[in-house]
Amino acid sequence: MNALKFNYDDYAIQMGAGDLFQTILEDYGTLGIIGEEHNKIMCYLAATSRLMEKPLNILVLSSSGAGKSTLQDKTLKLMPPEDIIRASAITDKALYYMKSLKGKMLALEEAAGMKDTYAIRTLISEGYLAQESVSGSKGQSLHVEGGCSIFQTTTNPQINPETKSRFFVLGVDESREQTRRILEMQRKAQTLDGLKESVETEGIIRKHWAFQRLLEPYAVVNPLAPELFYEDDRIQARRDQLKFLNLCKAVAFL
């Protein structure tokens, strides 16, 4: 037990050395994500926020083959496996049988795989799901504890606006310059230097698992919140400001 504790502390010191966010960016880079600095930090914050009272939710919207699934996949690799629930597609009905999602990261690889996103919206807004049903002559009560971070990817820009408004929507860099950087990285992966970097990935992943397992739910307050300003010319600001304030708390929590 002492050896395990020492290991965890050692990993925590590694994560705390220098700039934490720079370390996160560099580790994503070693895992094969080039560029996308803003997206990498947002995804890591959202994943970490699964332990908060109001987790952040991410929707990555891009063309097919642009790299949205890779961004999701590498983020999930940095989180402890026991906290990940992953599905290529899921129905609203299936969500009601998951019992508890608290402290988890629910990753859906393609939002188009959901025919109806009502349960997802309810899970985010209310923090739980409840349903009464009848099976034969008996009643059945289903209750799912929420409090999870939801990570979805999609190629469909026409996703339900009510659903979209509950997420931080990220777009993947589809520029020619980014394509050039990715192609260079793919070629480098075939070299000796590339092989050496691939060997490092296992240690990086385990470092983040240890770091994340040290985290516990913790109340965060923002004493500067009354001094902040948010544009009030749209009714959507009522929801958007809450997302922004929760993002501030996620940074402080991490």
Side-chain angles (χ1 to χ4, degrees), residues 14-33:
Q14 289 183 47
M15 290 296 292
D19 189 319
L20 175 61
F21 288 105
Q22 186 59 39
T23 300
I24 291 170
L25 290 174
E26 290 172 357
D27 289 348
Y28 266 105
T30 304
L31 264 60
I33 302 289

Side-chain angles (χ1 to χ4, degrees), residues 166-214:
R166 289 165 168 80
F167 287 79
F168 282 98
V169 181
L170 307 180
V172 174
D173 185 353
E174 300 183 22
S175 68
R176 183 176 182 180
E177 291 75 18
Q178 176 69 352
T179 299
R180 184 181 298 116
R181 288 192 290 266
I182 291 173
L183 295 179
E184 289 174 355
M185 180 189 66
Q186 290 172 348
R187 293 191 291 267
K188 180 184 176 184
Q190 307 302 310
T191 67
L192 180 59
D193 286 341
L195 177 61
K196 290 178 180 177
E197 285 190 0
S198 69
V199 173
E200 294 176 15
T201 60
E202 185 66 22
I204 287 173
I205 289 170
R206 292 191 176 278
K207 175 182 70 175
H208 283 268
W209 288 1
F211 174 62
Q212 288 287 326
R213 285 168 178 157
L214 284 170

Side-chain angles (χ1 to χ4, degrees), residues 27-97:
D27 289 348
Y28 266 105
T30 304
L31 264 60
I33 302 289
I34 192 166
E36 306 286 1
E37 276 75 8
H38 170 77
N39 288 348
K40 289 186 284 196
I41 292 298
M42 284 295 296
C43 288
Y44 198 92
L45 282 169
T48 303
S49 76
R50 72 192 185 283
L51 300 172
M52 297 176 60
E53 182 181 357
K54 293 289 185 180
L56 310 180
N57 304 289
I58 295 291
L59 176 64
V60 183
L61 172 63
S62 75
S63 303
S64 179
K68 62 186 182 302
S69 295
T70 303
L71 181 62
Q72 183 189 61
D73 179 64
K74 301 307 181 185
T75 301
L76 298 182
K77 282 184 180 296
L78 294 174
M79 299 297 121
E82 65 270 19
D83 290 351
I84 301 298
I85 299 174
R86 188 171 189 174
S88 297
I90 197 168
T91 65
D92 263 15
K93 187 175 181 181
L95 286 171
Y96 286 91
Y97 289 89

Side-chain angles (χ1 to χ4, degrees), residues 121-149:
R121 296 198 299 269
T122 304
L123 194 60
I124 294 172
S125 298
E126 304 299 329
Y128 69 91
L129 292 174
Q131 185 180 68
E132 299 291 333
S133 61
V134 177
S135 178
S137 59
K138 296 182 179 179
Q140 184 181 29
S141 297
L142 300 174
H143 187 277
V144 181
E145 184 180 23
C148 62
S149 174

